[in-house]
Amino acid sequence: EAGVAQSPRYKIIEKRQSVAFWCNPISGHATLYWYQQILGQGPKLLIQFQNNGVVDDSQLPKDRFSAERLKGVDSTLKIQPAKLEDSAVYLCASSPGQGSSPLHFGNGTRLTVT
Amino acid sequence: GDSVTQMEGPVTLSEEAFLTINCTYTATGYPSLFWYVQYPGEGLQLLLKATKADDKGSNKGFEATYRKETTSFHLEKGSVQVSDSAVYFCALSGGYNKLIFGAGTRLAVHP
């Protein structure tokens, strides 16, 4: 089966600019996650969708970050305006959404804010 | 809140050495526990999991046992290879199948 697809792989922007990341989950997976992984740290959940509804966005900085999952399939994560501390790898993951099913991760988008 | 603590790296071993990476957790209820691995240039991959107390997860020669009494899920391998060099993440599943990760432990295996 095809894995979780993310684009772009790398992005360099200046602070105060905006950026968007795209994710296409594994076909049929109801649950989609966006994680932020800062260098040297473990991934931190930003937002979790079940189909096209938000399950958890408690750690999403809503003043600058937004995410949507229209039609319950692919998703976009946007940052506007970016700050230096947003430099990280942004990981998308999906799961069938049943019980403790494992998450399948994409290769991530590495964002550098200068 | 729920959290995971794992030993700091890097861990440097010679090929065929014994590996232990410690992981302890704090959680309400009875979470499932996972080890994920991130090889250089690749995405996170599930290595093994355990869903209840005393379960042992195993894969590719790696093992970890869910110890409720010590709230631990230590990763072990009897004989590491150079190809095992990677970053290893311990994680627990919170509500709604949300994964909470430790900070990761980098393993470097030398010939």
Side-chain angles (χ1 to χ4, degrees), chain B residues 56-104:
Chain B
K56 178 185 284 188
S58 61
N59 186 25
K60 299 182 180 180
F62 290 90
E63 293 183 340
T65 301
Y66 190 140
R67 301 287 188 198
K68 180 166 166 284
E69 63 277 10
T70 55
T71 62
S72 64
F73 192 55
H74 304 322
L75 182 68
E76 295 182 336
K77 186 174 186 182
S79 176
V80 294
Q81 305 300 313
V82 172
S83 57
D84 293 327
S85 297
V87 181
Y88 292 82
F89 292 92
C90 185
L92 66 81
S93 64
Y96 299 107
N97 203 35
K98 175 179 75 174
L99 279 184
I100 297 168
F101 287 89

Coordinates of all heavy atoms in Angstrom, one line a residue, chain B residues 56-104:
Chain B
K56 N 4.7 -8.8 25.9 CA 6.0 -8.6 25.4 C 5.9 -8.3 23.9 O 5.3 -9.2 23.2 CB 6.9 -9.8 25.6 CG 8.3 -9.6 25.0 CD 9.2 -10.9 25.1 CE 9.7 -11.1 26.5 NZ 10.7 -12.2 26.6
G57 N 6.4 -7.2 23.4 CA 6.4 -6.9 22.0 C 7.8 -7.3 21.5 O 8.8 -7.2 22.2
S58 N 7.8 -7.8 20.2 CA 9.1 -8.2 19.7 C 9.1 -8.0 18.2 O 8.0 -8.1 17.5 CB 9.5 -9.6 20.0 OG 8.5 -10.5 19.5
N59 N 10.3 -7.7 17.6 CA 10.4 -7.5 16.2 C 11.9 -7.3 15.9 O 12.6 -6.6 16.6 CB 9.6 -6.2 15.7 CG 9.6 -6.1 14.2 OD1 9.7 -7.1 13.5 ND2 9.4 -4.9 13.7
K60 N 12.3 -7.9 14.8 CA 13.7 -7.8 14.3 C 14.8 -8.0 15.4 O 15.8 -7.4 15.4 CB 13.9 -6.3 13.8 CG 13.0 -6.0 12.6 CD 13.3 -4.6 12.1 CE 12.4 -4.3 10.9 NZ 12.7 -2.9 10.4
G61 N 14.5 -8.9 16.4 CA 15.4 -9.2 17.5 C 15.3 -8.2 18.6 O 15.9 -8.5 19.7
F62 N 14.5 -7.2 18.5 CA 14.2 -6.3 19.6 C 13.0 -6.8 20.5 O 12.1 -7.4 19.9 CB 13.9 -4.9 19.1 CG 15.0 -4.1 18.5 CD1 15.3 -4.3 17.2 CD2 15.8 -3.3 19.3 CE1 16.4 -3.6 16.6 CE2 16.9 -2.6 18.7 CZ 17.2 -2.8 17.3
E63 N 13.1 -6.6 21.8 CA 12.0 -6.9 22.7 C 11.8 -5.8 23.7 O 12.7 -5.1 24.1 CB 12.4 -8.2 23.4 CG 12.5 -9.5 22.6 CD 12.8 -10.7 23.5 OE1 13.2 -10.5 24.6 OE2 12.5 -11.8 23.0
A64 N 10.5 -5.8 24.2 CA 10.2 -4.9 25.3 C 9.0 -5.4 26.0 O 8.1 -5.9 25.4 CB 9.9 -3.5 24.8
T65 N 9.0 -5.4 27.3 CA 7.9 -6.0 28.1 C 7.2 -4.9 28.9 O 7.9 -4.0 29.5 CB 8.4 -7.0 29.1 OG1 9.1 -8.1 28.4 CG2 7.3 -7.6 29.9
Y66 N 5.9 -4.8 28.8 CA 5.1 -3.8 29.5 C 5.0 -4.2 31.0 O 4.4 -5.2 31.4 CB 3.7 -4.0 28.9 CG 2.7 -2.9 29.2 CD1 1.8 -2.4 28.2 CD2 2.5 -2.4 30.5 CE1 0.8 -1.5 28.5 CE2 1.5 -1.5 30.8 CZ 0.7 -1.0 29.8 OH -0.3 -0.1 30.1
R67 N 5.7 -3.4 31.8 CA 5.7 -3.6 33.2 C 4.9 -2.6 33.9 O 5.3 -1.4 34.1 CB 7.2 -3.5 33.8 CG 8.1 -4.5 33.1 CD 7.9 -5.9 33.6 NE 8.9 -6.9 33.1 CZ 8.8 -8.2 33.1 NH1 7.6 -8.7 33.5 NH2 9.8 -8.9 32.7
K68 N 3.7 -3.0 34.4 CA 2.8 -2.0 35.0 C 3.3 -1.6 36.4 O 3.2 -0.5 36.8 CB 1.4 -2.6 35.1 CG 0.4 -1.8 35.8 CD -1.0 -2.4 35.5 CE -2.1 -1.8 36.3 NZ -2.0 -2.3 37.7
E69 N 4.0 -2.6 37.1 CA 4.4 -2.3 38.5 C 5.5 -1.3 38.6 O 5.6 -0.5 39.5 CB 4.8 -3.6 39.2 CG 6.0 -4.3 38.6 CD 5.6 -5.2 37.4 OE1 4.5 -5.1 36.9 OE2 6.5 -6.0 37.0
T70 N 6.3 -1.2 37.5 CA 7.4 -0.3 37.5 C 7.2 0.8 36.4 O 8.0 1.7 36.2 CB 8.8 -1.0 37.2 OG1 8.6 -1.7 35.9 CG2 9.2 -1.9 38.3
T71 N 6.0 0.8 35.8 CA 5.6 1.7 34.7 C 6.8 1.9 33.7 O 7.2 3.0 33.4 CB 5.2 3.1 35.2 OG1 6.3 3.7 36.0 CG2 4.0 3.0 36.1
S72 N 7.3 0.7 33.2 CA 8.4 0.8 32.3 C 8.2 -0.1 31.1 O 7.3 -0.9 31.0 CB 9.7 0.2 33.0 OG 9.5 -1.1 33.4
F73 N 9.0 0.2 30.0 CA 8.8 -0.5 28.8 C 10.2 -0.4 28.1 O 10.4 0.2 27.0 CB 7.8 0.2 27.9 CG 7.3 -0.6 26.7 CD1 6.9 -1.9 26.8 CD2 7.3 0.0 25.4 CE1 6.5 -2.7 25.7 CE2 6.9 -0.8 24.3 CZ 6.5 -2.1 24.4
H74 N 11.2 -1.0 28.7 CA 12.6 -1.0 28.3 C 12.8 -1.8 27.0 O 12.4 -2.9 26.9 CB 13.5 -1.5 29.4 CG 13.4 -0.8 30.7 ND1 13.1 0.6 30.8 CD2 13.4 -1.3 32.0 CE1 13.1 0.9 32.1 NE2 13.2 -0.2 32.8
L75 N 13.6 -1.2 26.1 CA 13.9 -1.9 24.8 C 15.2 -2.6 25.0 O 16.2 -2.1 25.5 CB 14.0 -0.8 23.7 CG 14.3 -1.4 22.3 CD1 13.0 -2.1 21.8 CD2 14.6 -0.2 21.3
E76 N 15.2 -3.9 24.5 CA 16.5 -4.7 24.6 C 16.7 -5.4 23.2 O 15.8 -5.7 22.5 CB 16.3 -5.7 25.7 CG 16.2 -5.1 27.1 CD 16.1 -6.2 28.2 OE1 15.7 -7.3 27.8 OE2 16.5 -5.9 29.3
K77 N 18.0 -5.6 23.0 CA 18.4 -6.5 21.9 C 19.7 -7.2 22.3 O 20.6 -6.6 22.8 CB 18.6 -5.7 20.6 CG 18.8 -6.6 19.4 CD 18.9 -5.9 18.1 CE 19.0 -6.9 16.9 NZ 19.1 -6.2 15.6
G78 N 19.7 -8.5 22.0 CA 20.9 -9.3 22.5 C 22.2 -9.0 21.7 O 23.2 -9.1 22.3
S79 N 22.1 -8.6 20.5 CA 23.3 -8.5 19.7 C 23.0 -7.5 18.6 O 22.3 -7.8 17.6 CB 23.7 -9.8 19.0 OG 24.8 -9.7 18.2
V80 N 23.5 -6.2 18.8 CA 23.2 -5.2 17.8 C 24.1 -5.2 16.6 O 25.2 -5.8 16.6 CB 23.3 -3.8 18.5 CG1 22.2 -3.6 19.5 CG2 24.7 -3.5 19.0
Q81 N 23.6 -4.7 15.5 CA 24.3 -4.6 14.2 C 24.4 -3.1 13.8 O 23.7 -2.3 14.3 CB 23.5 -5.4 13.1 CG 23.2 -6.8 13.5 CD 24.4 -7.6 13.7 OE1 25.4 -7.6 13.0 NE2 24.4 -8.4 14.8
V82 N 25.4 -2.9 12.9 CA 25.6 -1.5 12.5 C 24.3 -1.0 11.9 O 24.0 0.2 12.1 CB 26.7 -1.5 11.4 CG1 26.8 -0.1 10.8 CG2 28.1 -1.9 12.1
S83 N 23.5 -1.8 11.2 CA 22.3 -1.4 10.6 C 21.2 -1.0 11.6 O 20.2 -0.4 11.2 CB 21.7 -2.5 9.7 OG 21.5 -3.7 10.5
D84 N 21.4 -1.2 12.9 CA 20.5 -0.8 13.9 C 20.7 0.7 14.4 O 19.9 1.2 15.2 CB 20.6 -1.7 15.2 CG 20.2 -3.1 14.9 OD1 19.2 -3.3 14.1 OD2 20.8 -4.0 15.5
S85 N 21.7 1.3 13.9 CA 22.0 2.7 14.2 C 20.8 3.6 13.7 O 20.5 3.6 12.6 CB 23.3 3.2 13.5 OG 24.4 2.4 13.9
A86 N 20.2 4.3 14.7 CA 19.0 5.0 14.4 C 18.7 5.8 15.7 O 19.4 5.7 16.7 CB 17.9 4.1 14.0
V87 N 17.5 6.5 15.6 CA 17.0 7.1 16.8 C 15.7 6.3 17.2 O 14.9 6.1 16.4 CB 16.6 8.6 16.6 CG1 16.1 9.2 17.9 CG2 17.8 9.4 16.1
Y88 N 15.7 6.0 18.5 CA 14.6 5.2 19.0 C 13.7 6.0 19.9 O 14.2 6.7 20.8 CB 15.1 3.9 19.8 CG 15.8 3.0 18.8 CD1 17.1 3.2 18.4 CD2 15.1 1.9 18.3 CE1 17.8 2.3 17.5 CE2 15.8 1.0 17.4 CZ 17.1 1.3 17.0 OH 17.7 0.4 16.1
F89 N 12.4 5.9 19.7 CA 11.4 6.7 20.5 C 10.4 5.8 21.2 O 9.8 4.9 20.5 CB 10.6 7.6 19.5 CG 11.4 8.7 18.9 CD1 11.9 8.6 17.7 CD2 11.5 9.9 19.6 CE1 12.6 9.6 17.1 CE2 12.2 11.0 19.0 CZ 12.8 10.8 17.7
C90 N 10.3 6.0 22.5 CA 9.3 5.3 23.2 C 8.0 6.1 23.2 O 8.1 7.4 23.2 CB 9.8 5.1 24.7 SG 8.7 4.1 25.8
A91 N 6.9 5.5 23.2 CA 5.6 6.3 23.1 C 4.5 5.6 23.8 O 4.5 4.3 23.9 CB 5.3 6.6 21.7
L92 N 3.5 6.3 24.3 CA 2.3 5.7 24.8 C 1.1 6.3 24.1 O 1.2 7.4 23.6 CB 2.2 5.9 26.3 CG 2.0 7.3 26.9 CD1 0.6 7.8 26.8 CD2 2.5 7.3 28.4
S93 N 0.0 5.6 24.1 CA -1.2 6.1 23.4 C -2.1 6.6 24.5 O -2.5 5.9 25.4 CB -1.9 5.0 22.7 OG -2.4 4.0 23.5
G94 N -2.4 7.9 24.4 CA -3.4 8.6 25.2 C -4.8 8.4 24.7 O -5.0 7.5 23.9
G95 N -5.7 9.2 25.1 CA -7.0 9.1 24.6 C -7.1 9.3 23.1 O -6.3 10.0 22.5
Y96 N -8.1 8.7 22.5 CA -8.3 8.8 21.0 C -7.1 8.4 20.2 O -6.9 8.9 19.1 CB -8.7 10.3 20.7 CG -10.0 10.7 21.4 CD1 -9.9 11.7 22.4 CD2 -11.2 10.3 21.0 CE1 -11.1 12.1 23.0 CE2 -12.4 10.7 21.6 CZ -12.3 11.6 22.6 OH -13.4 12.1 23.2
N97 N -6.4 7.4 20.7 CA -5.2 6.9 20.0 C -4.2 8.0 19.7 O -3.5 7.9 18.6 CB -5.7 6.2 18.7 CG -4.7 5.2 18.2 OD1 -4.0 4.5 18.9 ND2 -4.6 5.1 16.9
K98 N -4.1 8.9 20.6 CA -3.0 10.0 20.4 C -1.7 9.5 21.0 O -1.7 9.0 22.1 CB -3.5 11.2 21.2 CG -2.5 12.4 21.2 CD -3.0 13.6 21.9 CE -3.0 13.4 23.4 NZ -3.4 14.6 24.2
L99 N -0.6 9.6 20.2 CA 0.7 9.1 20.7 C 1.4 10.3 21.4 O 1.5 11.4 20.9 CB 1.5 8.6 19.5 CG 1.3 7.2 19.0 CD1 2.3 6.9 18.0 CD2 1.4 6.2 20.2
I100 N 2.0 9.9 22.6 CA 2.8 10.8 23.3 C 4.2 10.2 23.3 O 4.4 9.1 23.8 CB 2.3 11.0 24.7 CG1 0.9 11.7 24.7 CG2 3.3 11.9 25.6 CD1 0.2 11.7 26.0
F101 N 5.2 11.0 22.8 CA 6.5 10.5 22.6 C 7.5 10.9 23.7 O 7.4 12.0 24.2 CB 7.1 10.9 21.3 CG 6.5 10.3 20.1 CD1 5.3 10.8 19.5 CD2 7.0 9.1 19.5 CE1 4.8 10.2 18.4 CE2 6.5 8.5 18.4 CZ 5.3 9.0 17.8
G102 N 8.5 10.1 23.9 CA 9.7 10.5 24.7 C 10.6 11.3 23.7 O 10.3 11.5 22.6
A103 N 11.7 11.8 24.3 CA 12.6 12.7 23.5 C 13.5 11.9 22.5 O 14.1 12.6 21.7 CB 13.5 13.4 24.5
G104 N 13.5 10.6 22.6 CA 14.3 9.9 21.6 C 15.7 9.6 22.2 O 16.3 10.3 22.9

